[in-house]
Amino acid sequence: MTYQWDNKKPTAQMLGRWQPFHDGHYKLFKEIIKKTGQVCIQIRDVQGVDDNPFDFQTVKKNIEERLNPEFESQFKIMLVPNITNICYGRGVGYKIEEIVLDEETQKISATKIRAQMREEGKLK
């Protein structure tokens, strides 16, 4: 049976640039999905800001290709403003937590991936 997304169900959030979506992001997603069973992936609107070459549709497509069919219907992807600060008042019913992955994964760098893509002619 296919997973049925439910907006009322507890949902984890991932916020990032995902430029490009890489193995570290995938491992992070796999840890986060364990928390609630569904994840809202928010893509910051940063195309052209600093070294972020990909537009929303490209980033979304890359994420979908990596997560489907294994996690089909267990995630939603949305474009959000270039959020740089997350603030909250008193206990509001959710947690903000850092997921620390293994050292090898923590070393993965989207900046280095983009540089290699440029060297290989895959990115201008």
Side-chain angles (χ1 to χ4, degrees):
M1 183 172 158
T2 341
Y3 183 84
Q4 288 282 50
W5 181 274
D6 182 352
N7 277 344
K8 304 288 186 202
K9 183 178 181 210
T11 304
Q13 173 190 1
M14 291 176 69
L15 170 67
R17 294 169 293 176
W18 321 117
Q19 299 257 343
F21 196 77
H22 55 63
D23 290 344
H25 296 141
Y26 177 73
K27 283 185 175 182
L28 180 63
F29 176 87
K30 285 179 67 173
E31 288 302 310
I32 292 171
I33 195 82
K34 293 175 189 176
K35 296 188 174 292
T36 60
Q38 61 184 37
V39 177
C40 178
I41 302 172
Q42 296 180 324
I43 299 171
R44 292 171 49 201
D45 191 1
V46 294
Q47 180 188 15
V49 176
D50 298 324
D51 185 26
N52 297 292
F54 301 109
D55 64 22
F56 170 69
Q57 291 303 324
T58 300
V59 175
K60 181 179 179 192
K61 179 177 144 282
N62 290 340
I63 294 170
E64 289 171 337
E65 286 177 354
R66 186 66 189 270
L67 298 182
N68 285 327
E70 183 178 6
F71 298 103
E72 194 161 2
S73 301
Q74 289 183 265
F75 64 92
K76 293 211 181 239
I77 300 173
M78 65 177 60
L79 181 66
V80 297
N82 185 14
I83 295 169
T84 59
N85 296 62
I86 297 175
C87 311
Y88 69 97
R90 64 183 191 284
V92 290
Y94 53 83
K95 297 182 247 180
I96 297 177
E97 57 186 303
E98 179 181 6
I99 307 295
V100 179
L101 301 172
D102 60 277
E103 189 175 335
E104 184 178 330
T105 302
Q106 293 288 109
K107 288 181 182 178
I108 297 173
S109 165
T111 302
K112 290 178 183 175
I113 292 170
R114 288 191 299 274
Q116 182 177 352
M117 290 174 77
R118 284 186 179 95
E119 286 176 19
E120 295 171 352
K122 296 178 183 175
L123 186 63
K124 294 180 182 184

